[in-house]
Every structure is written in structure tokens, then in C-alpha cells.
Amino acid sequence: MPESTADKALRGVGQLLFSRVASKIISFAFLIAFVRLLEPVELATLPLYYAASAAAMLFFSFGIPVTLVREIPRLRVIDLEQMKGLLFTGFVIVMSGVVATALLAWSLKDPILEFIFSGIDSDTTYQLIVLGMISGGWHNLLTFVIKSLQEYRSLAIYNALYEMTPKAFGLLGYFIGEIDGLLLGFVVGGMLCNLLYTTRFSSFIFGIRKLQPIAALLKLSWPFYIERYLHYFRNNGDVLVISALLGATPLALFYVAKRLYQMMVMLSRSIQDVVAPSLSQLLGESIDTATKGYARVALLVPIPLIPLGIFCAALSYAFLDVVIGGQYAHSATVTTALFCLVAILDGLVGIQTRAVFVLGKNTDRLKIVISQLVIYFPLLYLLVMRIGINGAPLAQGISYLLALAYTKHLISRSTSYKAEGYFIWKITIASIVGAVTLAALQFYHYSPLLIPVYLAISAGVFVLTIWLMHSRDDFYRIENAMPRRLKRYTRRFSRNTT
């Protein structure tokens, strides 16, 4: 990337990353509170609530939110009036679709409760979940709008507020009205955040109240519409399958086991959210400039992502011990560790699919998702039925490996990019050595109070392994790929290790 674009992207990543780390720390405290307060049947209501919220933008969004991320950065440079018109058109259509979806769910209460949400036996609980669909759909739409405008600081604050405020209201509501009070708090807190940020960006969203040609918009967005369905079932299919096959108690355990994975994914999304708009901006200059920008991202992103996933896998038992206590931690440790490894693949595939999204055809990413789900859903059903909740991360990991190979093929077909993976393998080996050290120390003598000490020792082993395996060419490539603000740190580390 040109230095100005790279620095802007880096600043956006930093803002999103900081907000998500801070919000996840606070969210972790809420998670502990919810796990300790709620009965397993009540706890199982939470993944169903989030799955319903995610479904709100499924039926009538027509792929428009994703199209905004692709088109708005380019239009903001060349045609501000068309940009505002597209934002208004997209917001009106998608928000109307969110409300229509909630009304549809309200009218189909009986079959939904019978076949999907069988663990819910209260009309009030179901009605609050439907209201949560409006809050969740509104939030998802605003996220795409703010992301498309590349207002990363605002996106960081908004995501942090939406992560924390509903949970704070929900915790208060639980003490007033138990599970229904908790869900009402979720809805009220989410609505307040959405209203605040809709007002904040009203000059963009409602700046030109004129609908753009809808047929032309749908012609561009239809692959992303189909893709949205597939993404939803990829992200929430495990909850629905486990709920249907295993029941409420395993679903509650699975919900907790997946929390560490979702925290990691939220951090990697801080990078992914910046990649597509930045590449779209670079594509306005030339395909070669955009390809070089992607090459830098593809080299740098795995360096923190791989150690993070492998080290978190080694900390799975400690995480669960803190959240739910050792009595249940053994039952979910393997699931959590597998999901941590899947988080690495999620991050790598996420970066590559965003490059395909910008640099390839508008149907290319749809092909990736379809090929992934052809493998994922049969495996998910078979593995969950045979080995329980551990089958979900195994099925997802295998499908991600397929997607990883396919995205590399599409990128090489559309661009001149050639991968340089030697240093990435060195990072992987060093991470495994460090993680084995961390796991061995915990096995020798486990204590939550000693985890920071074990982490420091394992990090030292990781750095020492890198030092023994690296070459000058490795750091030269990394230094050239770094944004200007980070180059001095790379040079300092290179001098200290050569």
C-alpha cells in the first residue's frame, strides 16, 4: 500500500483492536456472571437469542450491506452525491427488511418454537427474542455503513458500546425479571446504541433522500445476498444442529466452549474490517497497486495470528476453569482448544476472501462459501451425532482448509500475487514449541495464579526458537511490508537478533 493508505489502515486496525480488547475484557466479566447466575436451560437461551439476531438481516437484505463496503469507499472519492444516495437506498431497504423479518418470525411463532427453539417455553421470552432481531439487524446494518465510510474510530466505539451496554442492562434486568429481564435489557441497551449512532451518521445516511435505481443495485448485490444465507448457516449452524441433536445442557456447554474462539475472531476481524475498504481504495489507482497492498497484508497478518491461536489452545483449560470452574472445564477443554486452532484458519480465510471480494468477480466469494458449506454441513451433522460438541470445530476446520486452498487459487487467477510462506512456517513451528512448553508447565503444576509466569516462560521459548530459525531475508521482507510507523520496531528487533 502507499504509505498514506497503509498508515490509515494501520490506524483503523489499531482503533478497532484497542476497542475490542477493552470490550472483550469487560465482556469476559459479564460472561462469568451469566454462567454463574443462569441455569443451563436459561444459558442455552443466549446462543438462540444471538442466532435470531443474526438472522434479522438474512431474508430481505438482498446483499446490499456487503455491496456498500465494496462501493462506498470508491464513490466517496469520485461522486459524493451518488455515495449518499446509495447509503440512503441501502439503509431504507435493509432496515425495512429487518422489521419485516421480525414480523414474519412473530407470525410463525408456533412452528419456530416446535422445530428450532424447542427449549423455549415462554411466550414472553420468544417475543423478546423477536425484538432482539430488530436490534441485532439494525446493529449489523450500521456496522456495514460505518465500515464502508472507513470511520474506524467511530466503528470501534460503536462496537464497544454495543458489546457492553446490552450486557450491563441485561445483568441489571436479570435481578429484576430473571431471564426475561435479561433479554429485555439486551434489547433496550442495543436499541439505545443503535439510535445514538444512526443519529451520529444521519448526514451521510439521510443526506440525500432519493432512492437509487434498485434494479441496478440488486444486479450488483445478488451474489452477496446468497452468500449472506450461507454465511449465516456457517456461523450459526452449529448452534442449531447441537440444539436439535443434543439438547439444552450440551448447548450451554458448547456456548461457553466457543467464547474464547469468538473473542479471538473479533480481534482478527479488526484487521479484516479494514482490508476490504483499503483494497477498494487502492483498486481505484490500479490492480497492481491493490495486489501489492494485499501481498503486504498476507505476509504480516499470520505473524500475530498464528501464535495467538496456538497459545490460546494451550490455555483452554485455564480459560474454562476461570469461567465455569474445574467441575465442567474438562468436558469442554478439547472443544475450546480445537476452536482456537480454527480461529487461525478463520483469520487467514477472512483476509483472503476479502481480497477476492475486491479484486475478483462479484461471484467469486460466493463460490468459495458454497464449496466450503458443501463440506461443512454434512460433516457437522455426522460428527456432532457421533462425537458430540467436539464435532463442530472439527467440521469447521476441515471446511476452512478447503476454503483456504480455493481462495489461493482465485487470487492467483485474478492477480499476479505469489505467496511467500517460509517465515510463516517458522512462526508456526516456534508457536507450537512455545505452546507445548505452556501446556507442559500447566500439566506439571496447575494454578491460575501461575499462568502469567508460565506465559512469560513460554513466550521466551517462542522468541528463542524464532531467533534460532530466522534469516536476514525474513526480516528484510517483513520490514519492507510494515507501515512506516512500525518499521523502527522491526529494525530494532532485527538488530538485536542478528
Side-chain angles (χ1 to χ4, degrees):
M1 298 181 190
E3 287 298 329
S4 59
T5 306
D7 286 341
K8 181 180 180 180
L10 176 64
R11 184 168 61 252
V13 169
Q15 291 166 345
L16 292 174
L17 187 61
F18 177 80
S19 73
R20 284 171 177 170
V21 169
S23 64
K24 285 303 178 184
I25 291 173
I26 298 174
S27 181
F28 182 69
F30 282 117
L31 174 63
I32 295 175
F34 292 150
V35 170
R36 303 300 171 113
L37 286 172
L38 273 61
E39 296 295 328
V41 174
E42 293 177 323
L43 186 63
T45 303
L46 299 189
L48 297 177
Y49 174 89
Y50 291 125
S53 297
M57 217 169 64
L58 189 62
F59 297 106
F60 304 113
S61 66
F62 306 110
I64 292 173
V66 181
T67 305
L68 296 180
V69 175
R70 177 173 173 154
E71 297 298 315
I72 292 300
R74 181 178 59 85
L75 292 176
R76 194 172 185 180
V77 175
I78 63 176
D79 193 335
L80 190 61
E81 183 175 340
Q82 187 179 355
M83 182 207 79
K84 290 185 177 181
L86 179 58
L87 278 175
F88 175 73
T89 304
F91 189 89
V92 170
I93 293 175
V94 177
M95 199 61 212
S96 299
V98 167
V99 175
T101 301
L103 292 174
L104 185 63
W106 194 297
S107 66
L108 297 175
K109 179 187 71 174
D110 291 338
I112 291 174
L113 285 176
E114 181 178 356
F115 294 108
I116 303 177
F117 292 175
S118 56
I120 296 175
D121 56 5
S122 167
D123 287 345
T124 303
T125 300
Y126 182 78
Q127 290 165 2
L128 289 169
I129 289 177
V130 171
L131 289 175
M133 294 178 70
I134 298 177
S135 177
W138 189 358
H139 165 69
N140 288 336
L141 174 58
L142 272 180
T143 299
F144 279 102
V145 168
I146 301 171
K147 190 191 306 181
S148 72
L149 292 169
Q150 296 177 280
E151 298 287 344
Y152 299 122
R153 183 173 182 272
S154 294
L155 181 61
I157 297 172
Y158 174 52
N159 282 336
L161 284 175
Y162 196 86
E163 181 75 22
M164 294 183 290
T165 306
K167 290 182 174 65
F169 276 69
L171 186 61
L172 177 63
Y174 181 79
F175 290 109
I176 298 174
E178 296 186 336
I179 186 64
D180 289 340
L182 183 144
L183 295 180
L184 179 60
F186 281 3
V187 172
V188 172
M191 291 288 195
L192 288 175
C193 294
N194 294 337
L195 183 61
L196 175 64
Y197 271 80
T198 301
T199 304
R200 164 72 175 79
F201 287 94
S202 60
S203 61
F204 288 101
I205 299 171
F206 306 110
I208 296 179
R209 301 182 185 183
K210 180 180 178 181
L211 293 176
Q212 298 289 302
I214 296 177
L217 177 58
L218 296 181
K219 183 178 180 180
L220 182 63
S221 68
W222 74 264
F224 310 131
Y225 180 47
I226 300 174
E227 182 184 313
R228 186 75 185 176
Y229 278 89
L230 301 179
H231 274 303
Y232 174 80
F233 288 108
R234 187 193 68 185
N235 294 334
N236 299 281
D238 49 10
V239 170
L240 302 178
V241 169
I242 290 172
S243 176
L245 292 180
L246 304 181
T249 300
L251 178 59
L253 193 64
F254 177 77
Y255 171 73
V256 178
K258 202 176 179 181
R259 290 309 92 193
L260 185 56
Y261 161 80
Q262 293 188 329
M263 291 179 184
M264 294 173 60
V265 167
M266 287 294 289
L267 297 179
S268 70
R269 296 282 160 83
S270 301
I271 302 172
Q272 297 175 35
D273 287 346
V274 176
V275 169
S278 298
L279 290 180
S280 176
Q281 181 179 345
L282 292 174
L283 189 60
E285 301 177 26
S286 70
I287 183 67
D288 185 59
T289 303
T291 301
K292 290 179 180 177
Y294 169 69
R296 295 174 68 178
V297 172
L299 176 63
L300 294 176
V301 166
I303 294 175
L305 185 63
I306 292 173
L308 177 65
I310 295 176
F311 271 76
C312 283
L315 288 171
S316 296
Y317 179 82
F319 170 80
L320 293 169
D321 183 40
V322 171
V323 175
I324 60 176
Q327 180 180 358
Y328 302 101
H330 291 286
S331 303
T333 296
V334 174
T335 310
T336 302
L338 289 172
F339 265 125
C340 289
L341 300 179
V342 171
I344 300 173
L345 299 175
D346 179 278
L348 297 177
V349 171
I351 294 297
Q352 292 186 357
T353 53
R354 279 156 177 79
V356 171
F357 169 62
V358 175
L359 304 176
K361 301 175 183 178
N362 66 337
T363 56
D364 279 349
R365 198 165 74 165
L366 176 60
K367 296 175 185 176
I368 297 170
V369 179
I370 290 174
S371 64
Q372 187 178 2
L373 290 185
V374 166
I375 298 296
Y376 175 57
F377 273 113
L379 275 178
L380 176 66
Y381 186 86
L382 291 174
L383 291 176
V384 167
M385 190 166 56
R386 287 185 174 274
I387 61 176
I389 60 175
N390 290 335
L394 284 174
Q396 193 166 350
I398 293 169
S399 69
Y400 271 134
L401 288 173
L402 172 67
L404 201 62
Y406 191 31
T407 51
K408 286 184 177 181
H409 164 72
L410 290 176
I411 290 171
S412 63
R413 187 195 68 183
S414 303
T415 69
S416 59
Y417 170 73
K418 299 296 181 183
E420 298 179 8
Y422 298 109
F423 188 68
I424 304 306
W425 283 110
K426 295 176 184 179
I427 288 286
T428 303
I429 293 170
S431 300
I432 293 172
V433 172
V436 168
T437 303
L438 179 58
L441 289 170
Q442 294 176 84
F443 183 79
Y444 176 73
H445 180 72
Y446 173 76
S447 170
L449 297 177
L450 290 176
I451 294 298
V453 178
Y454 294 164
L455 269 173
I457 295 171
S458 303
V461 171
F462 168 76
V463 172
L464 177 61
T465 307
I466 289 290
W467 179 78
L468 293 172
M469 298 177 65
H470 84 283
S471 68
R472 289 188 178 183
D473 288 342
D474 293 329
F475 285 110
Y476 177 75
R477 286 196 299 270
I478 293 169
E479 183 180 328
N480 284 340
M482 284 285 186
R484 183 178 59 247
R485 294 184 180 184
L486 295 182
K487 285 184 184 294
R488 62 180 180 271
Y489 300 108
T490 310
R491 293 192 190 105
R492 186 180 305 168
F493 185 78
S494 180
R495 285 196 300 268
N496 291 336
T497 56
T498 56

